[in-house]
Amino acid sequence: MALKLYDYTLSGSCYKVRLLLGFLELTYTREQVDFYPGRRHKSLDFLAINPLGQLPVLEDGDLRLRDAQAILCHLANKYDKTGKWLPRDPATFGTVMMWLMFAGGEIMAASAARLHDLLGYDLDIAAARNSAHAAFRILDDHLALREIAGAQWIAGDHPTVADVACYPYVALAGDGGIGHEDYPALRNWLRVFRTIPHFDPMSGIPEFA
Amino acid sequence: MDRSLFRANARLEKARLAVVLGDVEAGRREMQQSQHDAAGARDCWIAVGLDAQIRPQSSHPVIVAGRELALWRGETGPAKVWDDQCPHRGMRLSFGFVRDGTLRCLYHGWGYGEDGRCVSIPAHPELAPPKTICAGAHAVATKYGIIWSNLSAARAATVPEIPAVTDWRPVRSLYIHRSAAVVLAGIAAFDYGAPAEPATPAADVYVVTLGAQTQLLLALQPVEANKTGVHIASSGVDATADRLALVRQMHSLRDAIEAGTGPSR
């Protein structure tokens, strides 16, 4: 087994993968891709690795995978002997998948706002922030109901790939001018997430819970 | 909306700009003036959050009438409401962390005790911080499972008295993209699924009595001209399934008010 992550330190999507690699205590090599200002993820060399021109990419032996959510599922499926990170029981699996897709879809509006504010991307920032707020409200509503039911994770009674996939761009939202004022349940979930063993912070996410 | 709070906010912005531009003294002056302006706020108690939602050892951002506040709690004891700015460099204290009963600024770790006084400057461990370095602390009361704060210096007003019921339980904090007036009208018009007897024991506080057993307390927090928080507690709703249904109903209340569709379940 040789794991190699094509990585960019400031990327929330790469952070998702680094988080789970850490939680699973896996060793891996990192190839830093000059996302900004070099735009090497759009270079011909990198397009040969990922035709979508996106980070992260994970190589696991001969297997090469793109898409943070797909990579999370692969890592959990292959390396998590407890089966907890990617629960297979019928009561939880569908819910985990639903929020995993939400992380790769609706929540990415917060990533767009962050690219605008941090790296000067030319996009409709008001629309991005509005969409991110709409997504955060949906997750906050869900987590508020979970609190009433005595639970603290997105699905089940332990963290799953759904929590890992949703966490980075919610936690980093301030970089894109999106505050957490309106989301009390989300704020408490963010704090609990940082107590997962082997949690690693990144730039923009405080180490202290 | 409260004019003195708007003035205070403008001052705070100026203070932050001055610090960024390197004029720390001007920044400090503006910050002090900002606290002075804020003290002239209307003498009333405003709901700022649900007590159960503010866990021990945590700090949270709250906005009241455009003013940024930090709502935090030590390892034990009641929640505190402070201006969301470190007296040192204006960093938001809601980003801070709690250690040994002090709120620590994330920027340089300056620590503030429960009364707001600076008690620790990590870069100068031998220094006893001057008493003048003080975070802007506001009056706080916890009642009906809701945290209330009075931002005025006068503090003659009392927390609204809600008669009869004592066993209030936290339900949900909603943030609705409408003015307080529109939200109040929406709360009054909502179909709660049972004959509702409304009462308003104070401005911005609404009590709905549903039948003989159930009461809802909805306390408003003006956030911005077009955004209002509603902190909701219930009495007589105890089974988990009923509480889940109530939270969902409150989400529908929010969505109905924003949709402007009038009465709806």
Side-chain angles (χ1 to χ4, degrees):
Chain A
M1 168 199 98
L3 288 168
K4 176 177 170 182
L5 176 64
Y6 291 86
D7 191 22
Y8 179 61
T9 304
L10 295 180
S11 157
S13 293
C14 294
Y15 182 46
K16 296 177 189 180
V17 177
R18 296 197 302 268
L19 279 170
L20 189 61
L21 285 163
F23 294 152
L24 296 175
E25 298 181 75
L26 296 170
T27 54
Y28 61 102
T29 57
R30 289 166 76 178
E31 178 160 332
Q32 292 284 357
V33 177
D34 181 11
F35 182 90
Y36 183 88
R39 285 182 62 80
R40 206 178 71 79
H41 60 299
K42 298 296 184 190
S43 70
L44 292 178
D45 285 350
F46 192 78
L47 288 172
I49 295 166
N50 178 3
L52 294 180
Q54 293 171 348
L55 292 168
V57 168
L58 182 83
E59 287 177 355
D60 184 355
D62 293 334
L63 186 64
R64 180 181 278 166
L65 295 170
R66 61 169 187 260
D67 187 298
Q69 281 63 238
I71 294 169
L72 293 180
C73 287
H74 167 74
L75 289 172
N77 185 48
K78 184 169 175 183
Y79 297 106
D80 172 28
K81 300 291 179 249
T82 71
K84 284 190 162 183
W85 289 98
L86 183 63
R88 257 39 76 88
D89 68 288
T92 320
F93 178 84
T95 308
V96 169
M97 285 297 124
M98 183 177 79
W99 290 106
L100 196 67
M101 301 303 146
F102 188 75
E106 284 77 3
I107 286 182
M108 291 306 282
S111 169
R114 189 167 166 267
L115 287 171
H116 173 276
D117 283 12
L118 282 191
L119 305 184
Y121 275 45
D122 182 19
L123 50 83
D124 185 343
I125 183 62
R129 287 189 188 133
N130 283 341
S131 299
H133 276 296
F136 286 8
R137 175 185 276 187
I138 288 166
L139 184 53
D140 187 64
D141 281 359
H142 173 68
L143 289 167
L145 290 163
R146 297 285 293 154
E147 280 182 357
I148 296 279
Q152 57 184 354
W153 303 105
I154 287 178
D157 59 2
H158 50 77
T160 65
V161 288
D163 297 280
V164 178
C166 288
Y167 177 79
Y169 286 115
V170 175
L172 293 165
D175 287 350
I178 299 160
H180 290 146
E181 286 84 359
D182 300 352
Y183 313 109
L186 209 53
R187 294 197 302 262
N188 283 330
W189 168 77
L190 288 173
R191 288 188 71 247
V192 172
F193 190 93
R194 289 190 280 176
T195 66
I196 299 174
H198 306 293
F199 171 80
D200 263 325
M202 72 167 271
S203 179
I205 295 179
E207 188 168 356
F208 308 108
Chain B
M1 298 288 277
D2 205 321
R3 275 170 175 278
S4 54
L5 286 182
F6 273 112
R7 267 203 309 278
N9 296 338
R11 292 268 187 200
L12 186 51
E13 286 307 313
K14 273 166 99 176
R16 287 196 174 134
L17 187 62
V19 169
V20 166
L21 295 175
D23 191 347
V24 175
E25 265 315 304
R28 196 157 291 155
R29 274 200 310 278
E30 292 292 348
M31 259 192 242
Q32 279 168 1
Q33 190 57 43
S34 168
Q35 289 184 5
H36 182 260
D37 285 347
R42 196 153 53 95
D43 181 14
C44 64
W45 290 85
I46 298 166
V48 294
L50 293 176
D51 193 49
Q53 209 88 53
I54 306 303
R55 308 263 170 85
Q57 233 185 352
S58 69
S59 185
H60 302 256
V62 167
I63 296 175
V64 172
R67 186 167 183 83
E68 293 174 350
L69 303 169
L71 174 55
W72 72 280
R73 189 192 300 280
E75 285 82 356
T76 58
K80 289 132 196 110
V81 175
W82 290 2
D83 288 332
D84 199 2
Q85 68 207 54
C86 178
H88 178 215
R89 284 287 190 269
M91 178 63 146
R92 291 182 73 171
L93 287 170
S94 57
F95 292 149
F97 55 99
V98 177
R99 290 291 182 279
D100 304 324
T102 65
L103 179 57
R104 303 247 165 196
C105 178
L106 189 64
Y107 205 4
H108 299 102
W110 287 29
Y112 300 89
E114 301 201 348
D115 57 359
R117 286 238 187 100
C118 182
V119 293
S120 163
I121 298 177
H124 300 281
E126 73 292 345
L127 180 80
K131 286 179 181 167
T132 48
I133 304 177
C134 201
H138 299 289
V140 187
T142 306
K143 228 172 173 181
Y144 323 117
I146 293 172
I147 301 168
W148 309 76
S149 186
N150 188 338
L151 304 182
S152 106
R155 293 175 198 173
T158 54
V159 179
E161 281 300 326
I162 317 290
V165 187
T166 51
D167 62 329
W168 293 104
R169 293 184 67 176
V171 176
R172 180 76 168 120
S173 293
L174 304 174
Y175 293 88
I176 306 178
H177 291 266
R178 291 289 180 271
S179 70
V182 171
V183 168
L184 268 180
I187 289 171
F190 190 69
D191 178 357
Y192 294 88
E197 247 181 74
T200 47
D204 291 352
V205 179
Y206 205 95
V207 177
V208 183
T209 303
L210 301 162
Q213 302 298 325
T214 305
Q215 275 190 306
L216 300 180
L217 165 57
L218 303 99
L220 270 60
Q221 167 198 344
V223 178
E224 293 156 8
N226 212 24
K227 197 203 285 189
T228 306
V230 185
H231 305 285
I232 304 162
S234 70
S235 153
V237 185
D238 294 309
T240 300
D242 294 338
R243 296 176 58 69
L244 289 170
L246 177 57
V247 172
R248 288 199 182 90
Q249 189 186 40
M250 294 300 101
H251 291 163
S252 297
L253 165 65
R254 173 194 66 203
D255 296 345
I257 292 172
E258 288 188 351
T261 51
S264 127
R265 216 171 276 189

